[in-house]
Amino acid sequence: MDLSKTEYASLLYEGAVAMPALLPTSTFTAVTPAPQEGWALKETKKAYRFNEKQKSYLEAKFSIGQATGRKLDAEVVAKEMRHALGSDGRRLFKSSEFLTVQQITSYFSRLSAKVRQQVVTTEEDICAAAEEANFHKAREDILLAMNLEHPIVFDQYHICDLVRDNRLKNLKLGLLQMLCEKFNLQDSVTDRRKKVSYIDALADLVGGCSCSHD
């Protein structure tokens, strides 16, 4: 309004015959398109299916981790995957086959769950094999060190006869433990809470005696 008054006064002094018309200012309102229905809903991601190469690679990595007892780092595996080579010396994976840390972590979690479901059987098999190997090694070491000859006795106990007649089972656990300690068979005992473990150790000891070979 001040500008229009000043302009009007100057025109009167200058004797202008025509008055300028002030055009009304128009306000422009931007029209924002309405969002589509459901725009705020979370998108559903499609499940990613691993191909056989990816599965074999991850399972091999997981098996190595299980054998070495070292926990796998999914981030390290993801980096190594980018440079992995196949048996032909070429790149094993294309760039489109690279997996993220989250995908590798999820897959390892599933493998760990399977291992936990089979842990009882697996641990029993592994322990049984290890105990059997240790058992035979201990027996051989003992026989070499003691050069046992028939009869194998301790105090009033004739170990060879007890084994032959299957009478070790009649002995108390404490006595069986003492006999095994006498003949340095502690490492050959698989379960220190059960008589059968001590009986087996003594029976294996007699198995190296000359009476058994005869």
Side-chain angles (χ1 to χ4, degrees), residues 54-136:
Q54 292 168 326
K55 290 180 180 179
S56 298
Y57 180 80
L58 294 180
E59 288 171 1
K61 283 286 190 182
F62 184 81
S63 298
I64 293 173
Q66 291 288 103
T68 58
R70 298 176 181 174
K71 186 176 180 181
L72 293 169
D73 188 336
E75 186 174 355
V76 174
V77 175
K79 291 179 180 179
E80 293 177 346
M81 190 177 191
R82 297 175 177 271
H83 306 285
L85 301 178
S87 57
D88 56 359
R90 298 181 180 179
R91 285 283 181 90
L92 188 59
F93 300 106
K94 301 176 182 178
S95 58
S96 59
E97 296 175 317
F98 294 157
L99 299 175
T100 64
V101 175
Q102 182 60 38
Q103 288 174 320
I104 295 173
T105 301
S106 299
Y107 194 78
F108 283 164
S109 297
R110 292 196 293 271
L111 292 178
S112 297
K114 291 182 180 179
V115 170
R116 285 194 296 271
Q117 292 175 355
Q118 303 172 352
V119 67
V120 175
T121 303
T122 303
E123 286 185 354
E124 287 179 354
D125 293 341
I126 294 174
C127 291
E131 288 171 357
E132 183 177 357
N134 293 335
F135 184 82
H136 289 291

Side-chain angles (χ1 to χ4, degrees), residues 5-205:
K5 291 177 181 178
T6 304
E7 185 69 18
Y8 179 71
S10 63
L11 290 174
L12 291 176
Y13 285 119
E14 294 174 0
V17 295
M19 293 293 295
L22 295 178
L23 298 176
T25 58
S26 62
T27 58
F28 175 78
T29 303
V31 179
T32 303
Q36 296 180 355
E37 184 178 355
W39 66 274
L41 298 177
K42 186 177 181 180
E43 293 183 0
T44 303
K45 295 183 179 179
K46 295 183 179 180
Y48 181 82
R49 285 186 170 275
F50 293 179
N51 59 36
E52 291 302 320
K53 286 193 303 180
Q54 292 168 326
K55 290 180 180 179
S56 298
Y57 180 80
L58 294 180
E59 288 171 1
K61 283 286 190 182
F62 184 81
S63 298
I64 293 173
Q66 291 288 103
T68 58
R70 298 176 181 174
K71 186 176 180 181
L72 293 169
D73 188 336
E75 186 174 355
V76 174
V77 175
K79 291 179 180 179
E80 293 177 346
M81 190 177 191
R82 297 175 177 271
H83 306 285
L85 301 178
S87 57
D88 56 359
R90 298 181 180 179
R91 285 283 181 90
L92 188 59
F93 300 106
K94 301 176 182 178
S95 58
S96 59
E97 296 175 317
F98 294 157
L99 299 175
T100 64
V101 175
Q102 182 60 38
Q103 288 174 320
I104 295 173
T105 301
S106 299
Y107 194 78
F108 283 164
S109 297
R110 292 196 293 271
L111 292 178
S112 297
K114 291 182 180 179
V115 170
R116 285 194 296 271
Q117 292 175 355
Q118 303 172 352
V119 67
V120 175
T121 303
T122 303
E123 286 185 354
E124 287 179 354
D125 293 341
I126 294 174
C127 291
E131 288 171 357
E132 183 177 357
N134 293 335
F135 184 82
H136 289 291
K137 184 179 184 302
R139 180 181 64 82
E140 292 174 358
D141 293 342
I142 291 169
L143 292 176
L144 290 174
M146 300 182 66
N147 192 21
L148 293 177
E149 296 180 356
H150 182 75
I152 302 174
V153 296
F154 174 69
D155 201 0
Q156 76 272 30
Y157 299 103
H158 195 300
I159 308 302
C160 296
D161 287 348
L162 291 172
V163 171
R164 182 194 61 196
D165 300 333
N166 194 26
R167 288 186 288 117
L168 284 175
K169 62 184 180 181
N170 299 329
L171 303 181
K172 298 293 185 181
L173 178 60
L175 179 56
L176 292 171
Q177 291 173 338
M178 183 181 66
L179 292 175
C180 287
E181 290 176 0
K182 168 63 179 178
F183 296 105
N184 297 322
L185 298 176
Q186 297 94 324
D187 294 337
S188 300
V189 177
T190 57
D191 191 341
R192 299 179 184 274
R193 297 170 299 178
K194 296 182 179 180
K195 290 174 60 174
V196 66
S197 298
Y198 294 93
I199 292 173
D200 290 342
L202 291 168
D204 206 39
L205 174 67

